[in-house]
Amino acid sequence: MVRTDAEVSDTSQNTNHDTTQPAPKPFPLDTILCGDSRDILRSLPAAAVDLVLTSPPYFHQRDYGRGIGNEAKLNDYIAALLSVFQECLRVIKPTGSVVFNVGDKYAHQSLLLIPYRFAIAALEQFQVRLVNNITWVKRNPTPRHFQRRLVSSTEPFFHFVVSDAYQYFPQNFLQRETRPEQRQQKRRVGRRYFQLIEASTLTPEQKARARAALEVAVSEVEEGVIRDFRMKIRGMHSVPFGGREGGRNLHLERDGFTIIRMHGERLKRDVIETAVESLRGCLHRAVFPEALVTELIQLLTRPGDVVLDPFLGSGTTAVAAKKLGRRYIGIDLNPDYCAYAQQRVASVMYQTSFLDVTAP
Ligand SMILES: C[S@@+](CC[C@H](N)C(=O)[O-])C[C@H]1O[C@@H](n2cnc3c(N)ncnc32)[C@H](O)[C@@H]1O
């Protein structure tokens, strides 16, 4: 095993003042370890990591040399993943999470459903709970045209925990990325309602009042006063179901329209939509999008927490962790990838975020 960075003994993690006890094992933080993750994970202390976030090599998809993914049989590949997964469960704290992104593959024109075979085996073999199957929607999948099937453009990220006490910060999830898009979408929806008002059988006075009310609702969304709204226009939309007497149905009847305002937090859906990324000069062909990794780190950790990726590849998890002020440990079998990741991480400046509500 080659260490590509200095081994750090982090005393804040391993305080042991009893001189009769053996000295605690040094715990390598902010380090990239080059070697087989099945061996290296075993050398790490138990209950020391807050988040394992990783993407193991796909089955027979890319040749990373002698690593996992080259097994002759699918069952042996799943078994190899499970042996790493088991060690990940050992090294996380009771409040921690393990997120595995596993890719699928076609054989004889049929999907093998590898991610789900792995997830089911993990649930059957270990005391874990699957909190979510978060779907990564690729905005720009490889443009290929098949005659008899559609282009695969999603991948699952399985979020596992070992106890009810897992730490969780949904308020930090998908904040910045989707808000401007959402507002744009709202403006488009607003425009459509304006068209519907014009096309309706409302009187000119009712149309004028409906346009004014719609303008107010659109600006309330843009200013963040309300999360969303729906408009119902008489003759254009169905009557609200189960409406109370004197409620929305009365408004529809009397004014010709009604606006339903939605307050509070946006729905946090189990979907992350980002583009597939490629890094200039990178040997690696399957890199995580940094935006996606950033969202998961913010959802599941606080600044100062420890994030581990046992299949680090080009180093994206470590890069995102460092930018967010988290500690990182990365492992990869391939020395060239380790060196590349080391270089990437070294060029990253630590950034603090005023928006990070988990900051201590
Ligand atoms: C899908 S890639 C990970 C890509 C990474 N998420 C990124 O953003 O670049 C899988 C990585 O696992 C590494 N690998 C394969 N078998 C391994 C093993 N037994 N131990 C450690 N790393 C291994 C490969 O070298 C490869 O870089």
Side-chain angles (χ1 to χ4, degrees), residues 129-259:
R129 213 164 301 165
L130 182 56
V131 176
N132 276 120
N133 169 11
I134 300 168
T135 301
W136 171 29
V137 177
K138 301 174 189 178
R139 281 207 194 114
N140 57 342
T142 312
R144 277 187 289 177
H145 295 283
F146 302 105
Q147 295 298 321
R148 309 281 292 161
R149 66 171 155 105
L150 307 175
V151 175
S152 304
S153 60
T154 61
E155 281 185 30
F157 279 67
F158 297 113
H159 173 202
F160 293 96
V161 294
V162 288
S163 86
D164 266 347
Y166 62 93
Q167 56 173 3
Y168 203 57
F169 309 103
Q171 64 277 35
N172 287 349
F173 184 65
L174 288 183
Q175 276 191 22
R176 280 154 284 199
E177 200 195 15
T178 53
R179 267 193 188 153
E181 282 176 12
Q182 274 226 326
R183 284 179 196 160
Q184 260 190 354
Q185 193 193 346
K186 259 320 102 196
R187 247 172 260 140
R188 276 198 298 274
V189 172
R191 234 178 283 138
R192 174 95 186 110
Y193 282 133
F194 280 117
Q195 289 164 355
L196 289 176
I197 292 169
E198 292 319 308
S200 73
T201 55
L202 268 56
T203 65
E205 294 75 33
Q206 285 175 329
K207 284 185 181 177
R209 275 201 294 276
R211 279 195 300 270
L214 177 55
E215 260 161 35
V216 171
V218 170
S219 57
E220 281 176 3
V221 173
E222 284 178 349
E223 288 157 20
V225 178
I226 58 170
R227 174 171 56 79
D228 203 351
F229 72 89
R230 301 278 182 279
M231 185 171 203
K232 295 222 172 242
I233 303 163
R234 194 177 57 217
M236 307 303 273
H237 298 110
S238 59
V239 173
F241 182 71
R244 282 178 293 118
E245 256 185 53
R248 299 204 178 281
N249 293 346
L250 181 73
H251 282 284
L252 257 185
E253 196 47 46
R254 189 191 59 202
D255 305 328
F257 72 93
T258 183
I259 289 180

Side-chain angles (χ1 to χ4, degrees), residues 35-38 55-57 64 67-68 284 286-288 310-316 332-334 337:
D36 193 313
S37 53
R38 286 166 289 194
S55 173
Y64 294 112
I68 291 175
H284 215 285
V287 302
F288 267 156
F311 301 104
L312 186 67
S314 66
T316 316
D332 204 285
L333 193 57
N334 183 320
Y337 295 156

Side-chain angles (χ1 to χ4, degrees), residues 337-351:
Y337 295 156
C338 290
Y340 181 82
Q342 186 65 46
Q343 231 181 357
R344 257 185 99 193
V345 178
S347 66
V348 163
M349 300 298 286
Y350 166 76
Q351 295 165 7

Side-chain angles (χ1 to χ4, degrees), residues 92-135:
I92 60 160
K93 298 174 186 170
T95 50
S97 291
V98 176
V99 178
F100 260 54
N101 157 234
V102 182
D104 213 339
K105 185 179 169 59
Y106 277 87
H108 311 295
Q109 280 128 45
S110 175
L111 269 178
L112 293 174
L113 293 182
I114 296 172
Y116 307 98
R117 289 176 195 244
F118 159 76
I120 291 166
L123 286 171
E124 284 172 352
Q125 291 187 24
F126 304 109
Q127 293 276 323
V128 286
R129 213 164 301 165
L130 182 56
V131 176
N132 276 120
N133 169 11
I134 300 168
T135 301

